[in-house]
Amino acid sequence: MEWIKENIWLLLFGLWGLPLTYYRSKFRKIVYQTNNWLINIKPLFIKELKGLLGNLYPNNTDYIKQRNFYRFYLAVYITLFVVYLTYSK
């Protein structure tokens, strides 16, 4: 139990980060309009960032839904990191 208390942040980041590759893969496949698995390992970030911060396909409801969910997911990740930095000192 003591180990869990000492490493709670590691556990939280690990648990929240596990599905990241799945969500990022789904989002990238929509942004780059492909079903090829190689999109997961290619370092193409510019269009991905434009898709995350902007609105590449305003008529694609799947894109908008996935983009908004991915934004929420990353916002929680950033919030966890900020809380960690605030309370770890």
Side-chain angles (χ1 to χ4, degrees):
M1 194 62 160
E2 188 66 30
W3 184 86
I4 291 175
K5 286 182 182 179
E6 291 175 5
N7 295 301
I8 190 69
W9 290 109
L10 176 65
L11 293 171
L12 286 173
F13 281 118
L15 290 174
W16 191 255
L18 284 176
L20 178 63
T21 55
Y22 174 74
Y23 296 139
R24 185 168 185 236
S25 172
K26 269 182 82 170
F27 182 71
R28 288 187 96 181
K29 286 179 180 179
I30 293 171
V31 167
Y32 293 106
Q33 297 179 339
T34 184
N35 269 338
N36 194 338
W37 67 272
L38 288 174
I39 196 66
N40 299 322
I41 58 173
K42 289 185 178 181
L44 307 170
F45 302 114
I46 300 300
K47 191 171 182 181
E48 183 179 358
L49 285 175
K50 287 179 182 177
L52 184 62
L53 301 174
N55 194 6
L56 291 178
Y57 310 112
N59 297 326
N60 187 339
T61 57
D62 190 36
Y63 158 73
I64 293 172
K65 182 180 169 186
Q66 188 63 31
R67 180 200 63 194
N68 291 340
F69 178 78
Y70 194 47
R71 283 178 178 174
F72 167 76
Y73 183 85
L74 292 176
V76 171
Y77 213 78
I78 290 169
T79 303
L80 275 174
F81 187 68
V82 168
V83 170
Y84 166 73
L85 288 177
T86 303
Y87 290 108
S88 68
K89 294 178 182 183

